[in-house]
Amino acid sequence: MAEIPFISGILLAAGLSTRMGHPKQLLPFGKSTIVETVVDNMLEAKFSEVIVIVGHCADQIQGLLSDRPVKIVFNPNYREGMLTSAQAGIRSLYLENARKKLDRDAFSLMLVDQPFITSALIDKVIDAYTQTDKGIALPSYNYKRGHPVIFQHQYANEILALSKESGGVRSLFKSHSEDIHYVNVDTDDVLRDIDYREDYEHALRENR
């Protein structure tokens, strides 16, 4: 079996939740909250470390996660969109690499409003990434791309250079389509997110 590479799991949890009208990170879900559920799923997976990017309600989120072995990174530009959070997370890897002489092989981006992505689904993508020679691995359900997405470290500079007008991280899927390994999964959990109140209420009914 191939050796597991050092993969940093980066959770983008800094958003304003404008469409929800309430910080969805803090909404009750299961026995805790949405952000705690996603972080616990990440911690149970094969990530080498978990980094949580915060912005809106940063103190409350940090308080909820204070007993978990995660690194918190504050994104001062969180109001400018999700791309800035991805960039803040990747930038933190660069700084720590230089300071601690670490050598991270890859990083993964996950969204805070996807609590249905289990550790088993995350590990399926990690295992596939480990076994492919492609630089990007992501799950696919019915030919639709999902999360988490794993990027080889070589993509860090390109993501850091993206502008607001670029279309964000997903623009890489078009420019590097030949370097993507699609991991077919049998559940739409890799696609589902919680944007609106109806999404949340539906998720609660399913999670009872």
Side-chain angles (χ1 to χ4, degrees), residues 5 7 15 17 19 27 31 48 52 58 62 74 92 98 102 107 112 130 133 171 173 189 192 203:
I7 301 176
S17 306
R19 288 173 287 188
L27 288 171
K31 296 180 179 178
S48 307
V52 182
Q62 189 162 359
F74 180 73
S92 76
L102 295 176
F107 56 90
V112 76
T130 302
D133 59 357
S171 65
F173 301 151
D189 288 346
R192 296 173 58 196

Side-chain angles (χ1 to χ4, degrees), residues 143-163:
Y143 303 101
K144 293 181 179 178
R145 291 188 296 263
H147 283 85
V149 184
I150 299 177
F151 293 94
Q152 205 168 55
H153 66 87
Q154 71 191 46
Y155 285 106
N157 279 328
E158 190 165 344
I159 295 174
L160 288 174
L162 291 173
S163 66

Side-chain angles (χ1 to χ4, degrees), residues 69-100:
V70 299
K71 177 183 176 184
I72 303 289
V73 173
F74 180 73
N75 171 21
N77 303 312
Y78 69 91
R79 292 180 182 276
E80 296 175 24
M82 195 183 299
L83 174 60
T84 66
S85 289
Q87 291 170 330
I90 294 168
R91 209 171 286 118
S92 76
L93 299 183
Y94 266 65
L95 293 173
E96 195 162 349
N97 279 358
R99 189 167 63 247
K100 294 187 177 180

